[in-house]
């Protein structure tokens, strides 16, 4: 019996599962893989192969530099193969941000052989503290000669004889997971939660209008989580807004890029259009006219990138421009759908999400938004389309929009 095993609950912290990826043979089992599970429900959307291929690509994009050599698609899950010396902490941090993953675990990949399974179980549990345990087998492959309950019983008994721990099927300190799948047996003890959602790239592309505020980065996160790949567009009013404000937006995109690995940001110089609107339209209609011009430009960028929707951080009734009537009038400038994933969220919920994401700290830095320039004290809350059309006829924005597009700068972000 192993004298190092104490009667205290097994640790479930991440560092308790650090795989001994460099160990060849030693007292501990060499954790040479990472099992990745996704929610089956996602697959009901249709194309399973497409979903899995995109998830595999995303995992490799984020982790190959960290030591994941390959990702195998097994039935119903994936297996990342770890190179010796792989940086597990960094791999786990990366996997936590890959949408589509329900949970993952560092694992031992071994042959489908009961003697080897039992020996590996003992090695794997040697440095763990647990007073109770259970073995939980899932058999993806029915040709294995034993049923899951038989495997649980036999491996469980083998463990019970070697550790001072009892079997507890309802609330064990430790669960030894065993997956008999394709040509492998996979064994692991700790599950780490993934972010859920769908792999980025499985739900086409959209253009996200990103300001430096709190809302739009959260809106971006929510859409990426649904598998949408985003192209970012920011309107600035240089020289009236500072380079620091633009830099803040770049930092936000850098942070959001960690979920989609490659991003484009279009920086659109908007001051000329704004000044033109200020000179020719009633003050109360300015913000709506800005927004409609923004939507038109964002749409040109969307068509250029084969994107099929726009995304904004608008939130019903948060500010004067965000009444339903005004949202309708903004939509009427667009041919693509405008997605507003925060429409029904409370500000407190949005702030909490921004804090979790890490964008909050950047968003609350002093910032000059182009739309807070030249804004009247009483913006229209119930804009009328005929009035808008009257102003827009006078404005003749199209040549200005073309000029603005020509001066737009594009930046690329890579992980
Ligand atoms: P945010 O916190 O995202 O700035 P907000 O509550 O301040 O949102 P508004 O300033 O009215 O609301 O902006 C509504 C939405 O319009 C933003 O969420 C964003 O999608 C878009 N938007 C506003 N200003 C800009 C900008 N300068 N560049 C790009 N998009 C913008
Ligand atoms: Mg704003």
């Amino acid at each position: 019996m192993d004298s190092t095993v104490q009667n205290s609950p097994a640790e479930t912290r991440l560092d308790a599962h650090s795989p001994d990826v460099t160990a060849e043979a030693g007292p501990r089992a060499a954790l040479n893989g990472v099992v990745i599970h996704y929610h089956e429900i996602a697959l009901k959307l249709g194309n399973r192969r497409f979903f899995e291929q995109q998830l595999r690509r995303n995992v490799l994009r984020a982790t190959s530099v960290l030591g994941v050599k390959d990702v195998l698609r097994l039935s119903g899950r994936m297996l990342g193969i770890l190179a010796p010396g792989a940086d597990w902490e960094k791999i786990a941090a990366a996997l936590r941000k890959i949408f589509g993953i329900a949970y993952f675990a560092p694992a031992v990949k071994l042959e489908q052989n009961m003697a080897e399974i039992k020996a590996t179980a003992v090695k794997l549990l040697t440095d763990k503290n647990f007073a109770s345990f259970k073995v939980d087998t899932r058999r993806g492959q029915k040709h294995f000669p034993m049923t899951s309950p038989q495997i649980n019983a036999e491996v469980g008994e083998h463990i019970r004889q070697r550790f001072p721990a009892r079997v507890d099927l309802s609330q064990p300190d430790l669960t030894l997971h065993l997956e008999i799948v394709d040509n492998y047996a996979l064994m692991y003890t700790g599950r780490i939660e993934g972010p859920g959602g769908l792999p980025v790239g499985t739900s086409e592309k959209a253009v996200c209008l990103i300001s430096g505020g709190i809302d739009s980065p959260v809106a971006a996160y929510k859409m990426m989580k649904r598998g949408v790949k985003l192209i970012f567009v920011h309107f600035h009013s240089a020289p009236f807004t500072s380079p620091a404000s633009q830099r803040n937006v770049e930092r936000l995109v850098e942070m959001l890029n960690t979920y989609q690995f490659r991003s484009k940001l279009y920086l659109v110089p908007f001051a000329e259009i704004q000044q033109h609107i200020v000179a020719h339209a009633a003050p109360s209609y300015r913000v709506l006219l800005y927004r409609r011009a923004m939507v038109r430009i964002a749409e040109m960028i969307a068509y250029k990138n084969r994107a099929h929707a726009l995304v904004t951080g608008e939130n019903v009734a948060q500010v004067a421009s965000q009444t339903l009537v005004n949202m309708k009038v903004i939509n009427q400038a667009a041919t693509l759908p405008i997605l507003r994933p925060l429409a029904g969220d409370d500000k407190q919920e949005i702030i909490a999400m921004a804090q979790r994401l890490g964008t909050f700290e950047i968003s609350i830095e002093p910032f000059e938004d182009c739309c807070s320039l030249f804004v009247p004290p009483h913006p229209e809350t119930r804009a009328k389309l005929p009035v808008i059309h009257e102003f827009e006829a006078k404005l003749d924005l199209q040549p200005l929009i073309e000029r603005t597009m020509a001066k737009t700068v594009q930046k690329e972000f890579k992980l």
Side-chain angles (χ1 to χ4, degrees), residues 6-79:
Q6 285 144 28
N7 282 348
S8 64
E11 296 191 66
T12 49
R13 288 178 328 197
L14 174 60
D15 59 3
H17 310 305
S18 292
D20 192 3
V21 287
T22 48
E24 283 300 320
R28 293 179 67 186
L31 288 150
N32 50 13
V34 51
V35 180
I36 298 170
H37 276 265
Y38 35 85
H39 285 301
E40 288 294 315
I41 196 148
L43 304 178
K44 296 205 175 77
L45 287 174
N47 201 332
R48 176 184 197 120
R49 200 180 146 79
F50 171 64
F51 171 95
E52 289 177 345
Q53 278 171 339
Q54 188 66 51
L55 181 58
R56 174 177 184 272
R57 260 198 300 275
N58 292 353
V59 170
L60 279 172
R61 267 186 199 139
T63 62
S64 58
V65 289
L66 306 174
V68 174
K69 281 194 296 190
D70 197 5
V71 175
L72 313 179
R73 283 167 47 213
L74 309 180
S75 44
R77 72 272 280 152
M78 293 196 188
L79 177 66

Side-chain angles (χ1 to χ4, degrees), residues 181-215:
V181 60
D182 295 352
N183 294 317
Y184 305 105
L186 309 173
M187 189 182 287
Y188 56 93
T189 56
R191 283 181 177 179
I192 301 163
E193 228 182 293
L198 301 172
V200 174
T202 55
S203 301
E204 302 159 300
K205 285 188 275 187
V207 163
C208 178
L209 286 81
I210 185 162
S211 67
I214 295 167
D215 301 332

Side-chain angles (χ1 to χ4, degrees), residues 211 213 291 369:
S211 67
R291 284 279 187 275
D369 184 34

Side-chain angles (χ1 to χ4, degrees), residues 156-401:
E157 181 56 20
H158 189 77
I159 294 168
R160 207 184 55 76
Q161 286 171 4
R162 286 160 183 79
F163 295 89
R166 65 191 158 77
V167 172
D168 180 344
L169 298 183
S170 56
Q171 279 204 310
D173 290 341
L174 179 144
T175 300
L176 182 76
H177 297 276
L178 184 60
E179 299 182 1
I180 308 279
V181 60
D182 295 352
N183 294 317
Y184 305 105
L186 309 173
M187 189 182 287
Y188 56 93
T189 56
R191 283 181 177 179
I192 301 163
E193 228 182 293
L198 301 172
V200 174
T202 55
S203 301
E204 302 159 300
K205 285 188 275 187
V207 163
C208 178
L209 286 81
I210 185 162
S211 67
I214 295 167
D215 301 332
S216 35
V218 178
Y221 174 86
K222 284 181 87 171
M223 292 320 300
M224 287 190 291
K225 188 168 176 180
R226 293 308 299 160
V228 178
K229 167 103 191 200
L230 295 179
I231 294 132
F232 296 97
V233 178
H234 175 67
F235 298 87
H236 65 83
S237 302
F240 305 103
T241 52
S242 68
S245 300
Q246 232 179 84
R247 181 67 202 127
N248 270 4
V249 173
E250 288 172 30
R251 283 171 63 201
L252 288 170
V253 173
E254 231 162 66
M255 201 164 253
L256 294 166
N257 184 54
T258 57
Y259 295 93
Q260 61 171 21
F261 326 118
R262 260 167 189 270
S263 303
K264 273 189 212 172
L265 167 64
Y266 289 84
L267 293 162
V268 184
F270 202 57
E272 204 183 346
I273 290 179
Q274 280 184 293
Q275 286 173 311
H276 192 67
I277 291 172
V278 168
H280 294 94
S284 63
Y285 271 73
R286 276 179 199 165
V287 174
L288 278 170
L289 291 163
Y290 298 161
R291 284 279 187 275
R292 283 171 57 94
M294 283 183 177
V295 160
R296 290 199 177 98
I297 292 170
E299 216 171 58
M300 288 167 80
I301 293 169
Y303 282 116
K304 213 161 119 179
N305 285 280
R306 296 199 183 87
H308 303 297
L310 306 182
V311 175
T312 75
E314 285 165 301
N315 177 243
V316 173
Q318 194 185 97
V319 290
S321 61
Q322 299 178 10
T323 61
L324 290 185
V325 169
N326 286 352
M327 286 188 194
K328 178 182 74 178
V329 167
I330 294 169
N331 276 27
Q332 283 162 335
T335 58
L336 294 178
I338 301 178
L339 307 178
R340 299 176 169 96
L342 307 186
D345 289 334
D346 284 343
K347 190 71 189 185
Q348 284 315 311
E349 289 166 358
I350 298 170
I351 287 174
M353 221 184 293
Q355 283 168 331
R356 276 201 303 278
L357 261 179
T359 54
F360 184 76
E361 293 304 317
I362 304 173
S363 293
I364 57 169
E365 277 181 27
F367 170 78
E368 301 135 354
D369 184 34
C370 70
C371 289
S372 49
L373 290 176
F374 324 118
V375 168
H378 301 294
E380 183 56 61
T381 53
R382 299 182 64 78
K384 292 174 188 60
L385 199 59
V387 179
I388 292 261
H389 284 156
E390 215 174 288
F391 287 132
E392 284 181 349
K394 270 199 278 180
L395 285 167
D396 190 23
L397 284 178
Q398 205 47 42
L400 261 181
I401 288 180

Side-chain angles (χ1 to χ4, degrees), residues 75 77 112 136-151 178-184:
S75 44
R77 72 272 280 152
Q112 292 180 357
D136 182 355
T137 303
R138 291 203 213 166
R139 214 167 43 118
Q141 206 165 25
K142 301 301 176 193
H143 72 58
F144 193 75
M146 295 166 75
T147 64
S148 298
Q150 285 170 337
I151 300 169
L178 184 60
E179 299 182 1
I180 308 279
V181 60
D182 295 352
N183 294 317
Y184 305 105

